[in-house]
Amino acid sequence: MWRAEESKEAYEELKKKLMEGLRENEKIESILKALKLFNSRKDRIFKEVDDLEELREKIRRAKEEVIENLDEYIEKAVKKMEENLCKVYLAKDAEEARRIVRGIVGDAKLVVKSKSNACREIGIVDYLESQGIKVVETDLADRVVQLLGEEECHPVVPAIHISKEKWSEAFSKETGRDVPPDAQAITDASREGVRRAIMSAEVGITGANAIVAETGTIITVENEGNISLVSRVPPKHIVIAGINKIVPTLEDGLNIAEATTLFGTGQRFGAYVSFITGPSRTVDVGLETTIGLHGAQEVHVVLIDNGRRDAIRDGMKEMLYCLNCGSCLASCPIYMSIGEKYSCGYFGGIGLSFGAYIFGAQRAFVDGLGFCTDCGACSEKCPAKISSNDLVREIRRRAWERFGLLLPPHKKIRDAILETGNPFGEPPEKRGEWMKSN
């Protein structure tokens, strides 16, 4: 149980965090502008999708099926991926996942990486860099965040809070020439350094939008084309994904690929969707299989638990249906007020839920578990119909019961209700006095 003094200190930190977020007007305006654009795109594109609710139901059923029979589907997916000549590893936590990745990277000095929430979850970039290995982010937004030393602000568009002037500054410094604050000029400048890194890298790291149990296929969705290059040009390709990314069938994987872009950025489909079923190979020479023609010679898949089984055991399996599309953030009043400060490894209410199991309830509490208003707008926007507010409410209840984690104002209200029957702490005989003055 937390001592009262610890709760008070955590409360002061939370207030400080909240006030800092509320003062960042320029950043919040940028976030709101982006969310408004995404919402308008979604409103328009959803009208073109005849089976939208059916799609959401299919995704939820597929996720439920895997989580209800997790060991069976992990075994099936691992077997298929190994048959496809992938090397598969199961990591119980972030530390083990980092250790596995380090072993695969070996003597390599340059690693290129695509956008991946699972990679961020286990802190793989900082870890590899601490080992003297250079890691280059290849997603355009992740790259500018890396160059500026900023924090990511969104799971799909991490740099929505960064102005064109800052983008210009970052790539002018990297290229050694003046890059104007123009979107195309910035894009062209970023490509130079990223392409050089990809062509020189010995290892490429990606995440996965879905891993298909029936075929062992890894599915990735993107617009920029960097994931395709990262997964094919370097001789080693490492995939890092949570065990909840497994789906039963190829059709389920396609549904997730479609929903990720529909609900994430309001596109009908991503510009590129990759289906990776093992390393590059050919049977052209005497019908003998040889490996590594034009694509990766090795494909390594690191499946991480990192608290996910604990969530299932606690009856919180619904959080594992999340596609990390960020759709819930576009209607969350807390995220729209303080941006990336409403997070615990992952963003929003679902992020605080994840964080409670990945990093522990104490960190989730300090990161803003008490911020959720319980409005329920998130579930209306979720492709898997997750009730994130219900998850947060239940985690808050358990955090109080198990660890005594309760914000001082909430504790004051709770004690008042228990002692007097009302949140204001007024004795019964005084409750109606306010009516006498009117």
Side-chain angles (χ1 to χ4, degrees):
M1 298 288 283
W2 269 28
R3 299 189 310 271
E5 189 60 32
E6 290 176 309
S7 292
K8 184 178 179 181
E9 289 173 5
Y11 179 50
E12 292 303 319
E13 284 298 312
L14 273 172
K15 285 200 296 184
K16 181 181 177 182
K17 178 179 178 178
L18 181 60
M19 294 312 297
E20 286 176 353
L22 292 173
R23 283 194 295 268
E24 294 178 328
N25 294 328
E26 185 177 334
K27 178 187 286 187
I28 299 304
E29 285 176 9
S30 296
I31 291 172
L32 291 175
K33 182 179 178 181
L35 296 182
K36 183 179 180 181
L37 173 63
F38 295 154
N39 282 336
S40 64
R41 283 180 178 175
K42 284 187 278 187
D43 288 343
R44 184 173 62 254
I45 204 71
F46 282 175
K47 294 175 183 177
E48 301 176 11
V49 184
D50 296 331
D51 57 350
L52 187 65
E53 287 307 306
E54 183 182 349
L55 176 65
R56 295 176 77 191
E57 287 294 337
K58 285 179 178 178
I59 288 170
R60 188 174 177 89
R61 285 197 301 271
K63 291 288 188 177
E64 280 182 332
E65 169 65 19
V66 170
I67 299 305
E68 290 288 345
N69 305 279
L70 186 59
D71 289 332
E72 175 188 332
Y73 277 101
I74 289 176
E75 183 180 354
K76 187 175 182 180
V78 169
K79 182 181 178 182
K80 283 294 182 182
M81 284 189 284
E82 289 178 340
E83 287 176 359
N84 297 335
L85 306 180
C86 296
K87 297 179 182 178
V88 187
Y89 314 78
L90 298 174
K92 65 179 182 299
D93 55 28
E95 182 180 355
E96 185 175 13
R98 290 191 295 267
R99 191 166 60 248
I100 290 167
V101 172
R102 180 67 185 90
I104 299 167
V105 170
D107 296 330
K109 296 300 180 184
L110 176 60
V111 172
V112 286
K113 175 189 158 293
S114 70
K115 182 164 54 194
S116 165
N117 290 296
C119 287
R120 190 157 65 94
E121 174 186 328
I122 66 171
I124 196 62
V125 174
D126 289 343
Y127 175 75
L128 291 177
E129 289 182 338
S130 74
Q131 300 286 304
I133 299 164
K134 183 178 180 180
V135 181
V136 174
E137 298 282 5
T138 62
D139 176 86
L140 178 55
D142 275 342
R143 183 60 178 153
V144 77
V145 165
Q146 184 179 42
L147 291 173
L148 291 172
E150 294 263 359
E151 291 290 326
E152 297 96 338
C153 205
H154 191 277
V156 178
V157 278
I160 53 176
H161 59 301
I162 297 176
S163 66
K164 284 184 182 178
E165 287 71 27
K166 283 190 175 182
W167 284 79
S168 168
E169 177 186 324
F171 288 108
S172 293
K173 185 176 180 180
E174 187 190 35
T175 60
R177 68 171 191 275
D178 182 47
V179 176
D182 170 78
Q184 189 61 58
I186 290 167
T187 302
D188 292 343
S190 73
R191 183 168 56 239
E192 297 173 21
V194 167
R195 277 289 177 93
R196 280 197 301 271
I198 292 173
M199 295 304 166
S200 303
E202 298 144 283
V203 179
I205 298 178
T206 73
N209 292 97
I211 296 174
V212 181
E214 73 172 351
T215 61
T217 302
I218 300 146
I219 299 178
T220 62
V221 185
E222 60 174 322
N223 284 320
E224 296 178 10
N226 62 304
I227 299 179
S228 300
L229 293 172
V230 167
S231 65
R232 295 173 189 176
V233 175
K236 288 183 182 178
H237 174 207
I238 303 173
V239 180
I240 302 174
I243 52 178
N244 55 307
K245 289 297 182 180
I246 297 172
V247 295
T249 69
L250 199 56
E251 181 183 353
D252 295 320
L254 279 167
N255 288 337
I256 285 173
E258 180 181 10
T260 298
T261 48
L262 272 174
F263 284 83
T265 55
Q267 295 172 268
R268 192 65 180 86
F269 217 70
Y272 298 94
V273 180
S274 295
F275 298 82
I276 300 166
T277 311
S280 168
R281 74 197 82 165
T282 182
V283 292
D284 283 352
V285 184
L287 299 181
E288 294 180 23
T289 299
T290 53
I291 300 298
L293 184 59
H294 297 298
Q297 297 168 19
E298 301 175 19
V299 176
H300 302 261
V301 183
V302 182
L303 294 172
I304 55 176
D305 180 343
N306 209 25
R308 287 163 173 81
R309 288 182 186 275
D310 291 338
I312 296 169
R313 281 192 290 268
D314 270 2
M316 308 296 281
K317 64 180 182 180
E318 192 174 356
M319 73 175 65
L320 302 181
Y321 302 167
C322 178
L323 308 188
N324 294 318
C325 67
S327 183
C328 57
L329 303 178
S331 58
C332 174
I334 306 303
Y335 180 79
M336 290 190 288
S337 298
I338 62 174
E340 84 287 353
K341 287 183 170 57
Y342 187 40
S343 68
C344 183
Y346 290 83
F347 298 102
I350 192 68
L352 270 295
S353 303
F354 260 110
Y357 285 92
I358 294 168
F359 306 108
Q362 285 91 340
R363 174 172 162 182
F365 179 77
V366 172
D367 280 350
L369 188 61
F371 285 168
C372 177
T373 64
D374 201 19
C375 68
C378 49
S379 62
E380 296 178 10
K381 301 292 183 179
C382 176
K385 298 185 175 182
I386 302 169
S387 297
S388 298
N389 58 304
D390 289 340
L391 293 171
V392 171
R393 187 172 62 247
E394 178 60 18
I395 290 170
R396 284 198 296 222
R397 184 186 68 78
R398 295 181 186 188
W400 161 250
E401 289 181 350
R402 296 177 183 179
F403 306 105
L405 298 173
L406 194 65
L407 295 174
H410 293 172
K411 186 176 186 304
K412 184 178 179 181
I413 292 170
R414 175 186 176 276
D415 291 344
I417 292 171
L418 292 175
E419 292 169 10
T420 67
N422 71 88
F424 308 105
E426 294 180 345
E429 61 271 14
K430 289 190 175 182
R431 289 181 201 167
E433 286 190 358
W434 66 275
M435 296 180 65
K436 299 176 183 177
S437 62
N438 295 331

